[in-house]
Amino acid sequence: MSGTNCFVLIVNGNLSHAEFPGAKNLACSYQFVYGSDWEVVRVTGEGANMETGLTQLSERGAGTRAIYLWNFPLEITFRSTNPYGWPKLCVNVCEGNAKTTIKGYGWCHVPVNPGRHSNTIRLFKPRNSSIIQGILSSITGKTPEFINPTSICEGEGREVTRVQSEGTVRVVFDVMIKDMTKFGFEPVNTKHHQSILHEDEDVPDEIETSKRLN
């Protein structure tokens, strides 16, 4: 895919913090998930295009709210000819050092509008499938986990998965889009965008398709 035959999506920002009651310390791993028509632009240099990553372990801050501060940087560049499979950010929050416990999963679309966006991702985790499994989990301290953490970004099988809500993660995006109108697509220009996203669609609703008149 050459640079002249595609549009470019540049994403910067940070995993700001988590708000999670009842945890001692938290870290967050993330991964960008995208469709087959997309590819990551590889740029040389340290810290460039972090497709996956893991934050530092953060302890609860002072105050009444259970906030765990990371401010972990995000930086990646994509290119594509088709908005189908628009990139998503998948997060996985865990607690502990030697013995890691999964506290919650979540995801959101990378915003389709240029500019700064503050997204709140609601976390969830699988529930025990039976009372006996719940008793064993309380004894061993091991909770149910997804085999593939990125599967939460897909709609298949989600209707049969029993989950419970567990806290939130705040993500800040700084988005730039180049040459998208050349392919008949025009992002909606909004002043400020703050959302809680749990869509199953592969293309966000904010993308408008425009016909070219020759």
Side-chain angles (χ1 to χ4, degrees):
M1 188 185 300
S2 64
T4 57
N5 297 325
C6 60
F7 62 84
V8 178
L9 173 66
I10 303 172
V11 182
N12 295 292
N14 65 81
L15 285 168
S16 176
H17 64 271
E19 189 165 354
F20 202 104
K24 182 180 179 181
N25 49 50
L26 292 177
C28 180
S29 63
Y30 72 87
Q31 181 174 349
F32 285 95
V33 180
Y34 45 91
S36 58
D37 293 327
W38 292 76
E39 67 178 26
V40 176
V41 179
R42 304 296 175 182
V43 180
T44 58
E46 185 177 355
N49 289 315
M50 298 181 290
E51 191 172 343
T52 63
L54 175 66
T55 71
Q56 73 278 16
L57 196 65
S58 175
E59 294 190 354
R60 174 174 174 166
T64 57
R65 296 175 62 187
I67 293 180
Y68 303 81
L69 189 64
W70 298 311
N71 283 333
F72 191 84
L74 300 174
E75 182 182 354
I76 193 168
T77 301
F78 298 95
R79 61 186 177 190
S80 179
T81 58
N82 187 349
Y84 183 81
W86 190 271
K88 306 168 186 175
L89 177 65
C90 177
V91 298
N92 178 358
V93 176
C94 57
E95 178 185 23
N97 291 314
K99 187 178 180 181
T100 302
T101 303
I102 301 297
K103 303 299 289 185
Y105 303 86
W107 69 275
C108 72
H109 272 116
V110 172
V112 299
N113 307 318
R116 170 158 288 198
H117 308 264
S118 180
N119 284 18
T120 300
I121 303 176
R122 288 186 177 176
L123 302 176
F124 57 91
K125 66 178 183 179
R127 298 178 61 183
N128 294 299
S129 59
S130 65
I131 298 176
I132 295 177
Q133 191 179 50
I135 295 173
L136 292 175
S137 294
S138 62
I139 295 173
T140 61
K142 298 186 67 174
T143 58
E145 301 177 9
F146 291 114
I147 297 175
N148 178 15
T150 60
S151 63
I152 64 171
C153 297
E154 304 171 0
E156 185 177 356
R158 289 272 301 275
E159 70 278 0
V160 296
T161 305
R162 299 173 60 196
V163 299
Q164 62 189 46
S165 298
E166 293 283 345
T168 61
V169 168
R170 177 64 60 87
V171 187
V172 177
F173 292 101
D174 289 302
V175 177
M176 290 181 285
I177 301 175
K178 180 183 177 183
D179 295 335
M180 196 171 183
T181 55
K182 293 182 180 179
F183 294 85
F185 305 101
E186 183 176 356
V188 176
N189 187 13
T190 57
K191 294 182 179 179
H192 180 72
H193 177 65
Q194 183 174 2
S195 61
I196 300 174
L197 299 175
H198 288 289
E199 305 99 332
D200 290 333
E201 297 84 357
D202 287 303
V203 183
D205 293 335
E206 291 91 340
I207 291 183
E208 291 185 349
T209 304
S210 58
K211 284 188 176 180
R212 290 192 163 189
L213 301 178
N214 296 325

